[in-house]
Amino acid sequence: MFTGIVTDIGEITSLKQVAQGQLHRMRIACDYDQTTIADGASIACNGVCLTVVASGTADGKTWFDVDAAAETLGMTTAKHWGQGGRLNLERALKIGDELGGHIVAGHADGIATIVKRDDLPDMARFELRTTRELARFIAAKGSVTLDGVSLTVNTVDDVSFSVLIIPHTLSVTTLGGWKAGSEVNIEVDLMARYAARLSEMK
C-alpha cells in the first residue's frame, strides 16, 4: 500500500525488452538508501507498484531493477517508458507511517489524457479525460492518483475532470512537465470503488 506522496524522482537508466516484448526489465536510478531496498520490495513507479528484483549502487546513485509484465504494459503508460525517462517514486507504506495523501494500492486502473493545461501564478490547472468506466468513480473534492501523486479533484464534467497542482507538488514530482496530449496513469479512490460496488449489490 502507498499514500500517493512522492518521495523521490527516479530515472530509467536502461530498459530491455524480453519474452518477445511481453516483459520489460528496467533499471531505475534514485536517491534512496540502497541498504533499505530488499529484493522483493514494492516501489510505486508513476503509480505502478513494481517489485524490486535486484539493487545496487553506481556513480554515487542507488539503482534498482524491476520488471513490467504484459498486463502492466497493456494498461498503463509503462509501454511508453524509455531510457532517460523520469518517474515519480514512492516506497511502500509501513505500519505507523503518516498517511499524508490517501490509501493507494499502486494498481493503476488505466490511463487519463491531459486535455488542457492552464499555468497560473506558481500553480497549474489540468483538465483530463478518462474512460466512462473510470469516470464514475471520480467526484468533486474526492481523491484520485495520477502518475503516483495523490490529488484532490476540483471539478467533474461527464468523463472529464480537473486538478489544481500547488507549487510544492510541481517542484518535487514530474507533474511540472505535463502538457496537453500527455497520457498519465490513473488509480481511482478505493473507497469510491467499494461504495459503487455496494450500491450495485442492493
Side-chain angles (χ1 to χ4, degrees), residues 132-184:
R132 187 164 299 279
E133 170 62 24
L134 295 179
R136 68 194 184 102
F137 300 114
I138 300 173
K141 309 307 178 187
S143 297
V144 68
T145 306
L146 299 175
D147 270 359
V149 182
S150 172
L151 298 169
T152 300
V153 177
N154 285 158
T155 62
V156 176
D157 181 13
D158 195 38
V159 298
S160 297
F161 64 97
S162 68
V163 292
L164 183 67
I165 313 300
I166 63 174
H168 175 76
T169 303
L170 288 174
S171 67
V172 300
T173 70
T174 64
L175 274 58
W178 282 3
K179 57 185 179 181
S182 298
E183 292 184 336
V184 300

Side-chain angles (χ1 to χ4, degrees), residues 76-97:
T76 73
T77 62
K79 57 180 167 287
H80 301 311
W81 296 353
Q83 186 170 341
R86 300 168 74 240
L87 305 172
N88 295 317
L89 303 181
E90 182 185 357
R91 304 289 301 274
L93 182 67
K94 297 183 179 68
I95 298 298
D97 282 354

